[in-house]
Each structure stands twice: as structure tokens, then as C-alpha cells.
């Protein structure tokens, strides 16, 4: 769908009766694409990782370090149940959010999930640019991401929309996303 087609974009917005939730492996582009999508649709954007950090008053790396992954997932579940509130908005999640059963039920039951997918080598390249991802600290990032993909893809694929991303320009990615959303909402 062309980004100039304001009528079609307005039609999507008016049909949207629940949040759109971006899921997928770390560094797939959930936040980047989610933010842009929210801006084009003229709805609110929230980043779950950022909200967790705000609520905890510490970074994700520190939460993992001091309290462990279980504690992080509890906070993530609380934040997601606050963010998924039946209003049109876009929410970017952390890659492991759907591995918690209650969070997954909330996302797949009360939101429109978009699985943002990118090649593992792309994810390795992107995640190597900073050390914000505690799960990649202890081992070979390619092996870890591959293992996470094996476990998580069966859950991610419950999303009604799958967005394959590459290095193309953001406006093309958003046009593709809007087209997929339109098809889904018209079903
Ligand atoms: C995680 C992904 C991270 C963050 C945390 C755990 C995961 O978010 O929530 O480090 O389990 O895949 P991004 O997907 O935004 O990197």
C-alpha cells in the first residue's frame, strides 16, 4: 500500500479496535518498525522493554544480573497486561515475551500480533553493535540466536501477520506492513 493513500490508512485506523503487538527475535526491528507504524497510523507507541526499565528503575541488563530472567518475565507480564488495553496503539515487545504463557495468551487473544522476522545472520550483525542483550552474553551469539529461533518460532508463528524484513528502506517496510494489516482486517 502506498504511503500517500491517506484514505486507506484512515480506514485501517478506524477498523483498529485493539493494540498491534510486534513480536520476534531480538534486533529483528520490532521497535524501529513499530514506532514508524504508530506514527503513520497516528496512534500511540509503547516499547515494553523501556516500560519495564522505567517501572524497575534499572536497565534490563541489571535486572537480569541482579534478579534473574524469571523476575524480568514477571515484570514483563505486568507491563504487557497494562499496555494491552483494547485501545488502538502499537506495542513493541522484547523477544522472549511470548515465552511466558500468560503474556502469550494476552497478546494472541487481545491484540493483533505481527511477527517481525529477519535472517539470523542479520540479527547477529545488529546485536554485535552493543551489549544490551543479557541472553547473548554467555556464548556464541549465532548459536544462541539459532537455539532461540528453534524454540520460539513455533510460538511466533501463531501471529496472524508475518513480516519478513530485509535491509530495504523503512517506507517500503511500512507499506508492506500496512498492506498485510489491511488484508488481515478485511478478512
Ligand atoms: C529478550 C529480548 C530483549 C529483552 C531481554 C530479553 C529475549 O528485547 O526483552 O533482553 O528474551 O529475547 P529485544 O527483543 O527488544 O532485544
Amino acid at each position: 500500500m502506498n504511503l500517500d493513500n491517506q484514505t486507506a490508512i484512515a480506514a485501517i485506523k478506524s477498523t483498529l479496535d485493539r493494540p498491534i503487538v510486534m513480536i520476534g527475535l531480538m534486533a529483528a526491528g520490532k521497535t524501529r518498525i513499530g514506532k514508524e507504524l504508530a506514527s503513520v497510523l497516528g496512534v500511540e507507541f509503547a516499547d515494553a522493554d523501556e516500560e519495564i526499565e522505567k517501572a524497575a528503575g534499572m536497565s534490563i541488563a541489571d535486572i537480569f544480573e541482579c534478579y534473574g530472567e524469571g523476575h524480568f518475565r514477571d515484570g514483563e507480564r505486568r507491563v504487557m497486561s497494562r499496555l494491552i488495553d483494547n485501545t488502538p496503539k502499537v506495542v513493541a515487545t522484547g523477544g522472549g515475551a511470548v515465552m511466558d504463557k500468560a503474556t502469550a495468551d494476552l497478546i494472541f487473544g487481545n491484540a493483533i500480533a505481527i511477527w517481525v522476522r529477519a535472517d539470523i545472520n542479520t540479527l547477529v550483525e545488529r546485536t554485535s553493535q552493543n551489549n544490551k542483550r543479557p541472553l547473548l552474553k554467555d556464548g556464541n551469539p549465532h548459536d544462541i540466536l539459532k537455539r532461540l529461533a528453534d524454540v520460539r518460532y513455533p510460538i511466533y508463528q501463531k501471529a496472524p501477520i508475518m513480516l519478513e524484513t530485509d535491509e530495504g528502506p523503512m517506507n517500503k517496510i511500512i507499506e508492506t506492513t500496512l498492506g498485510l494489516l489491511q488484508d488481515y482486517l478485511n478478512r
Side-chain angles (χ1 to χ4, degrees):
M1 182 200 296
N2 197 296
L3 283 180
D4 293 334
N5 191 343
Q6 286 303 323
T7 315
I9 294 173
I12 294 177
K13 186 177 175 184
S14 69
T15 326
L16 210 56
D17 57 355
R18 59 219 130 115
I20 295 167
V21 174
M22 318 299 284
I23 64 172
L25 282 183
M26 51 188 100
K30 302 176 299 276
T31 300
R32 211 165 45 94
I33 299 169
K35 231 182 227 172
E36 194 59 32
L37 179 64
S39 148
V40 168
L41 287 172
V43 297
E44 184 195 329
F45 171 78
D47 182 76
D49 282 345
E50 229 172 70
E51 296 295 323
I52 298 164
E53 289 185 326
K54 248 192 258 165
M58 60 204 289
S59 70
I60 288 175
D62 286 347
I63 301 173
F64 268 74
E65 176 84 25
C66 299
Y67 303 110
E69 183 172 350
H71 184 88
F72 171 77
R73 298 288 169 218
D74 292 343
E76 187 171 51
R77 189 184 322 113
R78 283 193 296 274
V79 162
M80 287 305 292
S81 49
R82 170 166 61 77
L83 293 176
I84 299 188
D85 60 357
N86 296 322
T87 64
K89 62 168 85 165
V90 181
V91 180
T93 59
V98 294
M99 302 316 289
D100 178 274
K101 169 88 172 66
T103 307
D105 287 348
L106 197 64
I107 293 173
F108 295 122
N110 297 47
I112 301 171
I114 299 185
W115 174 15
V116 184
R117 216 184 127 136
D119 187 76
I120 300 280
N121 291 325
T122 307
L123 304 180
V124 172
E125 156 69 26
R126 289 188 194 152
T127 53
S128 68
Q129 284 157 21
N130 62 56
N131 58 357
K132 286 191 308 197
R133 273 73 178 207
L135 291 180
L136 298 183
K137 247 181 7 144
D138 303 318
N140 175 297
H142 188 281
D143 295 347
I144 296 172
L145 281 161
K146 175 76 185 64
R147 210 164 45 236
L148 290 175
D150 289 343
V151 178
R152 293 177 178 181
Y153 279 13
I155 317 272
Y156 291 154
Q157 75 186 13
K158 292 184 183 166
I161 298 175
M162 201 262 275
L163 178 69
E164 193 76 59
T165 63
D166 48 35
E167 294 306 311
M170 181 55 87
N171 59 346
K172 289 286 164 227
I173 296 176
I174 297 300
E175 287 180 350
T176 305
T177 313
L178 289 172
L180 292 167
L181 255 178
Q182 190 181 40
D183 291 346
Y184 172 73
L185 293 168
N186 288 339
R187 248 183 243 163

